[in-house]
Amino acid sequence: MVPFAGWSLPLHYGQGHLQSHLHTRRHCSLFDVSHMLQTLVYGRDRIRFMESLVVGDIAELKPGQGTLTLLTNEKGGITDDLIVTNTSEDHLYVVSNAACADKDLAILRDRAAQLQATGSDVHLEVSDNALLALQGSPSMARVLQAGLLDDLAKLSFMNSISTTVFGVPGCRVTRCGYTGEDGVEISVPAARAVELAEQLLGVPDVWLAGLAARDSLRLEAGLCLYGNDIDETVTPAEAGLMWTLGKRRRVAMDFPGAAVIMAQVKEKPRRRPMALTGAGRAPFTSLYPHIPGTVTSGCPSPCLGKNIAMGYVEAAHSRAGTELTVEVRKKQHPAVITKMPFVPTQYYMAK
């Protein structure tokens, strides 16, 4: 167990990190991600409220559809990355990073108060639900379907339903996750979270997995970790996350930091995200000084059997195939820039 953002979280369970990581790729694993902040946004002006804070086109989301989006500040920096779902009920469902929970909630509440003062109809509710992530192809769908009346084959990636799961009512099942695999996150009433977890763990294919596997899985999938790969000093343009900006939002430029971000798009960012691979068992720590850039995340890849890393490098050195030198335990080793994701993703799209 390790401290994380005010929580005590499991780093790994009895099987160890390597086996847990590979089991998730080959079967499926259950992650307790209840440390994530879950917020419900109500009121007829909820979409306008949300779009005043994030870069995504929330208005275009169909009922039950969600999107990854970014909270930005006036300088264009990324305050947090979060998932916003337009539920089929009467609210937006927002999942934010635990490490950003306090500042995110302060931003949300402050903006809600501003709009309420001008007569807008918006109000927030912080959910006390637990959050369980069942991740892994191909076992996840088979395991979960046994406890659902709904047809999971109709639920596409980044879509969500409110349903009963293994006899536990009031759950929200969202087809998403942080591993690159087909998976779901299940928001479940806290009083019945252990019951649901035990039902899932009763299937031999399902193992418990902790933070160590979660981190190496997301890195293989090329997914950013807030606080490492993105933060308030990095803009969406620099981070390669311009795909999160809705077309309408780019034209309207009505989100925090829009002028800075769109100017960077026009002028081309000086630094770009990079993906590195190389030999060795220890994680890359930095680029050798003759190449300006930084390594933000790195680990030995259990699936590829070599080192992988993410970071930023000057645009002139960002082309795939570029050979660089990295530092590992104060020694220099060759590495090469490659394309992300390192391991192909398995997200499910309903036919």
Side-chain angles (χ1 to χ4, degrees):
M1 302 294 287
V2 295
F4 180 84
W7 296 74
S8 183
L9 298 180
L11 188 62
H12 57 79
Y13 292 87
Q15 296 88 1
H17 166 227
L18 177 62
Q19 291 304 314
S20 180
H21 177 113
L22 294 174
H23 186 85
T24 307
R25 291 271 186 250
R26 297 166 181 169
H27 302 283
C28 68
S29 297
L30 184 67
F31 300 78
D32 183 354
V33 291
S34 301
H35 54 295
M36 306 286 279
L37 174 66
Q38 301 176 72
T39 309
L40 312 180
V41 185
Y42 293 91
R44 66 176 179 273
D45 297 310
R46 60 188 181 273
I47 290 177
R48 182 164 68 88
F49 159 78
M50 206 70 226
E51 288 194 348
S52 71
L53 297 171
V54 303
V55 303
D57 192 338
I58 308 304
E60 77 169 358
L61 295 175
K62 298 174 183 177
Q65 186 180 19
T67 185
L68 176 72
T69 191
L70 306 172
L71 273 173
T72 49
N73 60 30
E74 293 302 330
K75 295 181 179 179
I78 300 171
T79 303
D80 196 10
D81 62 317
L82 38 80
I83 292 177
V84 177
T85 299
N86 179 25
T87 72
S88 298
E89 294 76 32
D90 60 347
H91 63 276
L92 300 176
Y93 171 59
V94 183
V95 179
S96 315
N97 286 302
C100 301
D102 290 342
K103 70 174 181 179
D104 285 5
L105 199 52
I107 290 169
L108 293 170
R109 285 173 169 166
D110 182 60
R111 183 58 177 153
Q114 291 174 10
L115 291 178
Q116 288 164 357
T118 61
S120 295
D121 178 27
V122 60
H123 63 277
L124 309 177
E125 179 184 315
V126 176
S127 173
D128 61 0
N129 276 11
L131 193 62
L132 302 177
L134 186 66
Q135 300 283 304
S137 310
S139 297
M140 183 285 297
R142 176 179 55 79
V143 170
L144 187 62
Q145 186 62 75
L148 290 179
L149 292 178
D150 306 84
D151 184 359
L152 199 57
K154 295 180 180 179
L155 189 68
S156 281
F157 179 61
M158 295 305 294
N159 280 262
S160 177
I161 54 172
S162 180
T163 188
T164 296
V165 184
F166 283 100
V168 179
C171 294
R172 175 160 297 282
V173 176
T174 305
R175 203 154 196 167
C176 67
Y178 199 42
T179 62
E181 295 295 319
D182 182 20
V184 294
E185 291 184 354
I186 308 169
S187 180
V188 52
R192 302 191 69 177
V194 172
E195 174 190 339
L196 178 56
E198 288 177 342
Q199 289 266 20
L200 294 168
L201 291 167
V203 180
D205 265 7
V206 184
W207 289 7
L208 280 166
L211 280 181
R214 183 171 162 85
D215 190 50
S216 55
L217 287 160
R218 70 90 190 169
L219 183 53
E220 285 186 343
L223 302 175
C224 294
L225 173 63
Y226 193 87
N228 280 44
D229 310 302
I230 52 175
D231 57 31
E232 294 188 7
T233 69
V234 180
T235 70
E238 293 172 322
L241 292 172
M242 287 301 294
W243 59 269
T244 64
L245 272 72
K247 184 177 180 180
R248 174 178 61 84
R249 307 301 309 281
R250 295 187 190 211
V251 175
M253 293 183 62
D254 56 353
F255 51 88
V260 175
I261 294 167
M262 296 313 297
Q264 281 190 343
V265 172
K266 185 177 181 179
E267 297 164 5
K268 306 298 182 185
R270 294 181 181 178
R271 61 175 174 170
R272 293 183 181 176
M274 66 173 176
L276 285 172
T277 60
R281 294 183 179 179
F284 300 150
T285 53
S286 63
L287 299 184
Y288 200 54
H290 69 280
I291 296 292
T294 55
V295 174
T296 55
S297 289
C299 74
S301 165
C303 290
L304 300 180
K306 55 186 174 183
N307 257 316
I308 59 174
M310 293 168 58
Y312 294 92
V313 69
E314 283 195 349
H317 303 285
S318 63
R319 186 183 297 274
T322 300
E323 295 181 353
L324 303 177
T325 301
V326 296
E327 188 165 274
V328 180
R329 292 175 178 168
K330 298 183 179 181
K331 294 183 178 180
Q332 283 72 54
H333 297 269
V336 63
I337 291 184
T338 186
K339 294 181 179 180
M340 286 192 283
F342 299 100
V343 173
T345 55
Q346 302 292 331
Y347 304 133
Y348 175 80
M349 299 298 176
K351 297 179 180 178

